[in-house]
Amino acid sequence: MKVLFEHEGVFIHPGSEDEGSEQDLLISGSLRIVDKDAEIMVEYRPVDDAVDPSNMLCAGKDSSSVMEWDQCSGEKSQQLLETQLSYETEWDMINAVSFRKKPCTNGESDHERSRWALTFSVSDLRSITVKEEGWTFLVFRLKESSASLPALHFHQGGSTEFLDSLRRFALLSEAPDDETCLLVSTPNKALSQSFENLLDDNNFGLQKFRKDPYVTTLGGFSKVTNYIYDAFRGTEEQHQRPPEEVADLLGEVIPGLEINQQEEPGFEVITRIDLGARPQVTRREPLSPDDWTKHQDPEGRMSDVTHLKQVIFKGGLCHAVRKEAWKFLLGYFPWESTMEERKVLQRSKTDEYFRMKLQWKSVSEEQERRNSRLRDYRSLIEKDVNRTDRTNRFYEGIDNPGLVLLHDILMTYCMYDFDLGYVQGMSDLLSPILFVMENEVDAFWCFVSFMDQMHHNFEEQMQGMKTQLIQLSTLLRLLDLSFWNYLESQDSGYLYFCFRWLLIRFKRELSFQDVLRLWEVMWTGLPCQNFHLLVCCAILDSEKQKIMEENYGFNEILKHINELSMKLDIEEILQKAEGISLQIRSCKEMPHSISVILGFDTQDCGSDLTDSGSPPPPRPTQRPDACSNGHLRETSSHNSCKVAFIS
C-alpha cells in the first residue's frame, strides 16, 4: 500500500449524524488517499482506532500463512525434505515454522470511535458536496447508495489539498444545478482494473499506465486500441481524440523521456552513417556436459573461461549443465574457485540465507499488524506467486511446493534489500532461476545476482527504464534511420512498445525454454555491453517491413508488437542480434555515444567476443554511476551518450 495523501485533524460530528450519540462528541481522525494494489482508496481512521483498515475485510485465504511440506505428495515431500537436510540441519526447523493469522471478523469494535472508520474506492464515489460552516466540510455520496457517508469537517484546513490530490485520480466537475456539488467521474472499469486482472486478461489500462507504467505494461497491449479510444471517447462515439493526442499523453507518463534529440544540449550531431553489409553468423549446438567437464581442472577450477563463455554465447547450454553453469554465469560461484571452496561458500551462504529468512518467519501476528510495509510485500508476493508460470509443471496445481519456494525466496529478498523490497514483475525473473536450480538457497543467491543487474528497472524513479529506452532509440536510428523516422511520424519514436521487453528481459515474449536460452546467452556478457538492446533491434528489424508496408499507425504498432508474444524464434533473433553487433563494431566512424552504449570503448576492438573471465563484482551499498547492465545514472554527464542524426 502506498500513501498518496494524508491529513490529520479531520473531524466527524456524530451528534449531527446519529441521535444516539453524545451531542458534544467529536471524532478526530486522519484522512488518507492510498494506492492499494493499484486501486485508489479514501480512508478515514479515528485517532483512537489503531486497527489497520485491511483487517476490516475477511480475506478469502489466510494471507500470512505459509504452506507446509506435508501438503504435497509423500514422494515429492520426502525429496524436498532431503534437499533441505542436505544443507545445515540446524536450519530445518525454520522450514517447519508457520505463523497463521486468526480469521478476521467484521464485528463491531469495543470502542465507540472505531465504528466511524471509513474506507471506499474512488471509483465508487458519485459526488462530493463542499460546504462552509466557519470551516469547510465535505459530504461524500457513493454510486451504490442513496445515503451519505458521515461528513468530514476540516477544522484545521486541508480540504483544498485533499481535493487537489483527488483530482490526480478522478475528474471533479461542478454539478449544473448545484455549485457546491462536485460530480466524480473515473476512467471506465477496463482501464482501472487491478494488476491481477491485467495479467490474467492480457489487457492494457491507460489510466493505470499513467500511475504505474512498469507494472501496467506487464499486462500487455493486446486490446490497446479499444482501451485508448475508450479512455478519451466522449458521450458521442464520433468525438474521438486522434492518435497523436493519445501519443502525447503516453509521452508524459514517464517523465524524462520527452527529449528533443536535436535541441537537447550535449548531443553529438552526426550525418547518416553507412554501416556496410551485415555479416552472416551461425549458431552452434548447446554446450554438452562432457564439454563443460573438460573445462574443469582436477580441483574443480574452470579453465579457459573466455573460450567457454564464447561457446555458451554461440549455442547456450544443455539443460543438464545449467544448474551448475548458471551459478558461475551469475557470479554466485567465482570461476577460479575450487570445488572445496565452493562447498565452503555454499555453507556460508546457506547460513546467511536462513538468518534472513528467520527474520520474516519469526515475525508474530502482532508485529506484522504494526508493519504495513511487510504486510504489503507479503500480500503482493502471494498474489504474484499464485499467477506466475502456473502452466509450467514445476509450478502447476494447488499448493505446489514450487510455489512455496517462490514465495519464501521473494519474502527473504525483502529482508536482503529493504530499500527495494518486492515490486511486481520480480517473480517473473525468479521463476526460471528456481526452475533450473531446484534449490531454495542456490536460487536465492542467483536471483540476487540477477537483481544486481536488473535493480534499476524496479526502482521507483525508473531511471534504468528511461535510460534503456533512450539508448534503444539511439541504436535504432543508427541502424535504420528511415524506420525510426517512420516510427517518429507515428508518434512511436520513444519505443514505449518495447517497455515490457526491457523490464523483465523478454520473459513474457518467449516460451519458457527460449527464455532460459536467451538469459544464459546474455549472462556471458558477450559480444558487447547491453546486448539485450540489440535483441530488441533484431526483433524490430524483422518486423519493420510489415509495419511500414501496412502503414501501421500508433495503435496498430502497439497491437502488432504485443501480438508477437510466443511467436518469436529465439535462435533467429540471436543470430541477427550478433550480426548487428559485428556490423556496428566494424563501423570506422562509430559515434562515441554508440560506443559508450555497447561498451566498445572499454573493449578490445580487435576481437569479436571479449571477456575478462571474471565474475561480476557484487553491487556496492552506494551504487556507482554505471550499473552492471550498462545503465547510466542521473549525473552531470548524463547526456554524454545521446546522439542526434541528420539525414
Side-chain angles (χ1 to χ4, degrees), residues 388-390 392-397 400 402-403 431 434-435:
T388 299
D389 292 323
R390 296 308 301 275
N392 186 302
R393 292 189 61 185
F394 192 80
Y395 299 108
E396 69 181 359
N400 186 307
L403 300 180
S431 170
L434 179 58
F435 171 82

Side-chain angles (χ1 to χ4, degrees), residues 50-267:
V51 177
D52 181 63
S54 63
N55 288 336
M56 295 166 62
L57 299 175
C58 288
K61 184 177 180 180
D62 178 4
S63 63
S64 70
S65 63
V66 179
M67 293 178 289
E68 297 175 344
W69 296 111
D70 58 10
Q71 289 175 315
C72 57
S73 64
E75 181 181 351
K76 184 168 285 189
S77 175
Q78 181 63 29
Q79 293 174 354
L80 289 166
L81 182 60
E82 290 173 355
T83 300
Q84 296 302 320
L85 287 173
S86 67
Y87 283 100
E88 301 296 311
T89 56
E90 60 265 28
W91 290 114
D92 291 338
M93 53 82 62
I94 295 179
N95 288 327
V97 175
S98 178
F99 294 99
R100 300 181 182 274
K101 280 188 178 178
K102 296 177 181 178
C104 302
T105 63
N106 285 326
E108 293 186 5
S109 169
D110 294 333
H111 302 287
E112 168 68 17
R113 291 172 179 261
S114 65
R115 71 189 182 98
W116 297 105
L118 306 174
T119 302
F120 57 86
S121 172
V122 172
S123 61
D124 294 332
L125 195 56
R126 173 187 293 173
S127 67
I128 305 173
T129 300
V130 185
K131 295 189 176 182
E132 300 288 338
E133 195 177 86
W135 58 83
T136 302
F137 65 94
L138 306 179
V139 181
F140 300 91
R141 288 186 180 274
L142 302 180
K143 295 176 181 177
E144 304 300 327
S145 174
S146 58
S148 301
L149 298 172
L152 299 183
H153 297 255
F154 292 78
H155 290 227
Q156 302 169 10
S159 61
T160 301
E161 290 79 1
F162 169 75
L163 292 174
D164 287 344
S165 295
L166 201 61
R167 286 187 174 95
R168 294 166 53 195
F169 313 104
L171 177 64
L172 307 184
S173 55
E174 186 177 302
D177 55 347
D178 185 356
E179 62 181 13
T180 67
C181 180
L182 298 176
L183 302 179
V184 182
S185 60
T186 54
N188 64 53
K189 192 171 182 180
L191 290 170
S192 304
Q193 61 186 309
S194 68
F195 179 65
E196 180 176 1
N197 290 334
L198 280 167
L199 286 171
D200 293 341
D201 298 337
N202 201 33
N203 293 336
F204 173 81
L206 185 58
Q207 180 67 17
K208 191 152 173 278
F209 189 90
R210 179 198 293 271
K211 292 180 290 183
D212 202 349
Y214 69 87
V215 168
T216 306
T217 309
L218 287 173
F221 294 110
S222 63
K223 298 182 180 179
V224 66
T225 304
N226 292 337
Y227 284 167
I228 285 179
Y229 281 125
D230 285 346
F232 296 97
R233 185 182 291 126
T235 54
E236 299 292 334
E237 282 203 357
Q238 63 269 27
H239 299 311
Q240 296 180 0
R241 294 193 181 191
E244 57 269 21
E245 291 189 27
V246 181
D248 289 341
L249 176 63
L250 284 178
E252 298 170 0
V253 298
I254 309 179
L257 291 184
E258 306 83 354
I259 296 175
N260 186 323
Q261 306 269 20
Q262 298 288 338
E263 300 173 1
E264 181 84 0
F267 280 98

Side-chain angles (χ1 to χ4, degrees), residues 2 24 88 131 230 233 275 295 297 301 447 483 541 593:
K2 183 178 181 181
D24 295 331
E88 301 296 311
K131 295 189 176 182
D230 285 346
R233 185 182 291 126
L275 295 175
H295 282 81
D297 68 15
R301 296 183 186 88
F447 176 65
F483 180 47
D541 185 74
S593 56

Side-chain angles (χ1 to χ4, degrees), residues 374-636:
L374 182 61
R375 284 198 314 272
D376 293 340
Y377 286 152
R378 188 193 294 273
S379 174
L380 208 53
I381 288 170
E382 286 173 348
K383 287 182 179 179
D384 277 8
V385 163
N386 285 326
R387 61 189 175 210
T388 299
D389 292 323
R390 296 308 301 275
T391 58
N392 186 302
R393 292 189 61 185
F394 192 80
Y395 299 108
E396 69 181 359
I398 300 174
D399 292 344
N400 186 307
L403 300 180
V404 183
L405 293 179
L406 204 61
H407 170 278
D408 287 4
I409 292 171
L410 292 171
M411 284 294 296
T412 305
Y413 186 82
C414 294
M415 301 296 103
Y416 174 81
D417 192 334
F418 287 100
D419 291 337
L420 182 64
Y422 179 78
V423 181
Q424 286 174 310
M426 287 166 57
S427 62
D428 276 295
L429 301 184
L430 172 59
S431 170
I433 294 175
L434 179 58
F435 171 82
V436 168
M437 293 298 147
E438 299 179 308
N439 178 285
E440 182 176 4
V441 176
D442 290 344
F444 173 81
W445 290 111
C446 287
F447 176 65
V448 165
S449 296
F450 195 20
M451 282 302 301
D452 285 348
Q453 302 177 31
M454 303 294 289
H455 199 280
H456 264 201
N457 283 14
F458 297 95
E459 291 174 357
E460 187 173 1
Q461 299 303 316
M462 292 187 298
Q463 183 57 42
M465 291 303 301
K466 298 175 188 177
T467 301
Q468 287 176 89
L469 287 170
I470 293 173
Q471 291 175 334
L472 179 57
S473 179
T474 302
L475 288 168
L476 188 61
R477 282 180 294 148
L478 172 73
L479 293 168
D480 196 326
L481 185 58
S482 61
F483 180 47
W484 186 88
N485 284 334
Y486 176 82
L487 293 176
E488 179 71 8
S489 71
Q490 302 301 323
D491 300 292
S492 299
Y494 292 130
L495 309 179
Y496 289 118
F497 47 81
C498 298
F499 204 104
R500 187 173 68 181
W501 298 359
L502 300 172
L503 181 68
I504 51 175
R505 287 296 187 271
F506 308 94
K507 173 63 166 52
R508 299 287 179 90
E509 319 311 318
L510 303 170
S511 69
F512 197 84
Q513 291 300 320
D514 282 354
V515 169
L516 305 184
R517 171 73 73 243
L518 174 64
W519 286 7
E520 63 199 14
V521 166
M522 292 194 301
W523 290 337
T524 64
L526 302 176
C528 60
Q529 182 176 280
N530 283 319
F531 181 63
H532 66 287
L533 298 181
L534 298 186
V535 172
C536 295
C537 291
I539 298 173
L540 294 176
D541 185 74
S542 299
E543 301 302 320
K544 66 180 181 182
Q545 183 175 355
K546 183 175 182 63
I547 290 173
M548 297 176 72
E549 286 183 353
E550 298 290 335
N551 197 30
Y552 282 167
F554 175 78
N555 296 322
E556 290 82 7
I557 294 172
L558 289 173
K559 186 173 184 293
H560 175 72
I561 294 298
N562 184 65
E563 290 176 347
L564 295 176
S565 179
M566 302 301 158
K567 300 176 183 177
L568 299 171
D569 183 333
I570 187 59
E571 292 299 326
E572 179 183 320
I573 292 169
L574 288 172
Q575 193 171 355
K576 180 171 289 189
E578 183 185 355
I580 292 173
S581 170
L582 296 174
Q583 182 183 23
I584 295 177
R585 184 187 287 275
S586 64
C587 177
K588 296 180 180 179
E589 299 178 355
M590 184 192 308
H592 176 69
S593 56
I594 301 296
S595 180
V596 170
I597 292 172
L598 299 180
F600 290 157
D601 57 337
T602 61
Q603 296 181 0
D604 178 10
C605 294
S607 62
D608 291 340
L609 297 173
T610 63
D611 192 85
S612 63
S614 302
R619 175 163 47 89
T621 303
Q622 296 295 328
R623 297 182 182 94
D625 285 344
C627 63
S628 55
N629 60 353
H631 299 168
L632 299 182
R633 307 292 193 249
E634 288 181 304
T635 65
S636 58

